[in-house]
Amino acid sequence: MEKLIELKNLYKHYPILGGILRHQINAVKALDGIDLDIMKGECLGLVGESGCGKTTTGKAIVKLHEATKGEILFHNKNKAGKESVIDVVPLTNRKMKQKGIRGKLQMVFQDPTTSMNPRMLIKNIIAEPINEQVKLSSREMESRIKKLLDTVGLGGQHLLRYPHEFSGGQRQRLAIARAIATNPDFIVLDEPTSALDVSVQAQILNLLKELQDKLGMTYLFVTHHLLVVKYISSRIAVMYLGKIVEVAQTKDLFENPMHPYTLALLSAIPNTNIDKRSKRIVLEGDVPSPLNPPAGCRFHPRCPFAIDRCRTEIPKLEDVGNGQLTACHRKEDVAKLVKDTFGFSMKR
Ligand code: SF4
């Protein structure tokens, strides 16, 4: 598979200002040097607890938040089919438009109510990103918007309505229509189903799958819901406190997790098991503050298998076979450690 996006040593620190002169006294280290490849046509799930940096990663890629340092390489194909690799980090919005890549990177948010102007008609909401790209006559625009509404399972009769006239599921369909209006190559889906009823969640997930097959798009699916990500993603990356700790094919991650944090997450899924349902790895304590993350492995204060080395040395993401990457000093022993400590096998 070819790469579409490469994150290289990417940082996003939010400064904390203080003192009379309002100078920087600290920083929230939301992303602290992450490396991640996103392949063309795949749906990559990004999971982890709240505040681990999942949404920040998505926002940095689509340039809603400026990365502090590092590279976001986008493998772009122009209209003539010529491929080039562009680092979007130093680009301004204007430069992104000039290079024709602004509309190729899109995002769908968790709550469509807050991402749509309540005073705008649906036709104007969907027309906005199209107008940024091309000038169409009003007849052409209307026909394009109707087509987009059809694609997401709505109809032309919704053109002259306001966002509040729709249900949550319909509003999410509208948000998807707006995101695909510019024919993007890549969409960040930021918890797109968490605010919806379970039956509607399934409809939106199926719609996203259909669109991916039909339009050949690439997704980064951000969520804390492991069963949702298991259903929709072909690969999964696990984040903890601003770092990627494990990346694997979905099947490999669920059957053979190699990082203690992934193990704890999987063991917490209701009605599924590491071995048997009731067997869980319960993590002690809270996630440390991203203002002062622990030295060495960020997970060491909560890891049941931490050793001295973990407190000082940051583990690197390393291939453990099958393209599975894990950042843990004890990756080779994890299966035995789980068996010895908790009395069950992690392999399923
Ligand atoms: Fe646990 Fe050490 Fe592995 Fe971190 S590096 S996950 S602390 S065993």
Side-chain angles (χ1 to χ4, degrees), residues 13-287:
H13 289 184
Y14 295 97
I16 306 283
L17 304 179
I20 300 170
L21 298 175
R22 307 289 299 154
H23 61 277
Q24 185 175 336
I25 52 172
N26 203 342
V28 174
K29 292 139 192 109
L31 300 181
D32 221 18
I34 65 166
D35 294 293
L36 187 64
D37 293 338
I38 305 173
M39 306 299 177
K40 268 183 196 157
E42 79 168 345
C43 175
L44 176 69
L46 189 57
V47 300
E49 287 163 290
S50 298
C52 68
K54 312 183 290 288
T55 298
T56 306
T57 306
K59 286 185 174 171
I61 298 174
V62 299
K63 297 273 290 179
L64 283 177
H65 287 184
E66 295 294 334
T68 309
K69 64 174 176 173
E71 292 175 314
I72 300 173
L73 304 179
F74 175 55
H75 292 245
N76 182 43
K77 240 184 202 162
N78 66 13
K79 281 179 189 154
K82 196 171 169 234
E83 198 170 308
S84 57
V85 182
I86 300 168
D87 180 9
V88 300
V89 170
L91 298 184
T92 58
N93 230 335
R94 199 155 143 223
K95 273 265 182 263
M96 298 255 299
K97 275 186 205 161
Q98 277 171 3
K99 288 181 178 284
I101 54 173
R102 179 64 280 179
K104 292 188 176 183
L105 306 170
Q106 289 290 354
M107 185 152 181
V108 172
F109 299 90
Q110 178 178 358
D111 184 358
T113 319
T114 52
S115 64
M116 285 181 200
N117 186 335
R119 292 193 189 85
M120 278 171 80
L121 288 169
I122 293 308
K123 69 169 192 172
N124 296 330
I125 288 175
I126 299 179
E128 237 182 354
I130 303 174
N131 277 330
E132 296 267 319
Q133 274 199 323
V134 280
K135 289 288 161 240
L136 298 177
S137 69
S138 53
R139 185 173 294 182
E140 286 170 329
M141 180 63 89
E142 193 167 312
S143 128
R144 184 147 165 193
I145 295 171
K146 278 184 180 162
K147 236 187 207 164
L148 285 164
L149 289 175
D150 276 346
T151 309
V152 297
L154 296 169
Q157 73 275 20
H158 295 113
L159 276 180
L160 299 177
R161 294 191 189 167
Y162 290 94
H164 73 267
E165 295 177 72
F166 294 88
S167 67
Q170 285 176 320
R171 272 199 292 271
Q172 201 55 294
R173 284 175 192 269
L174 291 169
I176 294 167
R178 184 178 55 180
I180 61 172
T182 54
N183 297 323
D185 291 338
F186 173 74
I187 303 184
V188 176
L189 301 158
D190 185 13
E191 309 255 15
T193 55
S194 332
L196 305 174
D197 293 340
V198 177
S199 60
V200 183
Q201 281 187 20
Q203 291 170 15
I204 297 295
L205 288 176
N206 289 334
L207 171 66
L208 289 167
K209 269 193 160 187
E210 272 169 37
L211 290 178
Q212 194 187 18
D213 291 344
K214 206 158 127 189
L215 307 173
M217 280 178 304
T218 305
Y219 294 150
L220 179 69
F221 197 102
V222 172
T223 184
H224 60 269
H225 199 311
L226 283 154
L227 292 180
V228 166
V229 94
K230 185 181 184 187
Y231 176 69
I232 195 156
S233 303
S234 45
R235 273 195 322 143
I236 296 176
V238 182
M239 275 192 93
Y240 185 79
L241 208 59
K243 294 267 189 201
I244 303 279
V245 297
E246 184 150 30
V247 186
Q249 297 292 330
T250 302
K251 191 170 174 286
D252 295 336
L253 192 99
F254 275 80
E255 287 181 358
N256 189 23
M258 296 289 284
H259 193 279
Y261 178 61
T262 313
L263 277 162
L265 283 184
L266 293 181
S267 78
I269 299 176
N271 293 327
T272 53
N273 51 54
I274 288 284
D275 208 3
K276 288 279 175 257
R277 214 163 26 140
S278 55
K279 291 173 177 171
R280 280 197 60 184
I281 297 173
V282 180
L283 293 178
E284 304 283 330
D286 294 324
V287 183

Side-chain angles (χ1 to χ4, degrees), residues 259-260 297 299-300 303 305-307 310 315 327-330:
H259 193 279
C297 172
F299 188 53
H300 85 252
C303 181
F305 314 131
I307 49 175
C310 305
C328 174
H329 294 311
R330 307 191 76 185

